[in-house]
Amino acid sequence: MRIEQDIELCSVTNVNTKEKLMNALVKAGIPYAEEWEKIPLVKRKRFNGAKEVCVVITHQAKADQAKAIIEGLDDLVKKDIIY
C-alpha cells in the first residue's frame, strides 16, 4: 500500500535478484514494499523479456540511501534492476 511520500525506487525482472535486493534493504534498515506488474508484449524488450516485474517502493526520505545500496550490489545482480 502506497502513501503520499512513497516513490518507485526501481523495477526488478528476476525473482532471485529481488530477494537479494530485499535482503540488502532489510540489512540496511530501509523500509520497502513491492508491487507486481504484468508487462504487455510490446514493452517486454525494455524489461529483458520479462512477463512481469516487481516494482520496489520506498519512502522518499530513504530513496538516496536505497539507491546507494543498489549501487553497492554485485554487477550480476544489478543487470536485472531497471530504473
Side-chain angles (χ1 to χ4, degrees):
M1 182 173 167
R2 289 189 197 200
I3 59 173
E4 195 172 304
Q5 296 85 9
D6 288 345
I7 62 166
E8 287 186 13
L9 181 62
C10 62
S11 297
V12 182
T13 61
N14 180 295
V15 175
N16 293 328
T17 299
K18 179 193 76 88
E19 292 299 322
K20 291 177 182 177
L21 173 59
M22 299 305 168
N23 286 335
L25 292 174
V26 167
K27 284 181 184 178
I30 299 171
Y32 71 90
E34 60 184 74
E35 292 179 354
W36 286 90
E37 292 183 2
K38 293 191 183 292
I39 304 301
L41 185 62
V42 296
K43 293 185 179 182
R44 290 185 185 166
K45 185 175 182 179
R46 178 176 184 257
F47 295 98
N48 301 324
K51 293 180 181 180
E52 60 182 1
V53 296
C54 177
V55 178
V56 180
I57 301 161
T58 192
H59 191 278
Q60 69 187 46
K62 297 286 187 172
D64 290 336
Q65 187 180 1
K67 288 176 184 175
I69 296 295
I70 292 172
E71 291 303 315
L73 294 173
D74 188 278
D75 286 339
L76 291 173
V77 175
K78 289 194 297 189
K79 73 176 179 59
D80 293 324
I81 298 174
I82 300 166
Y83 291 100

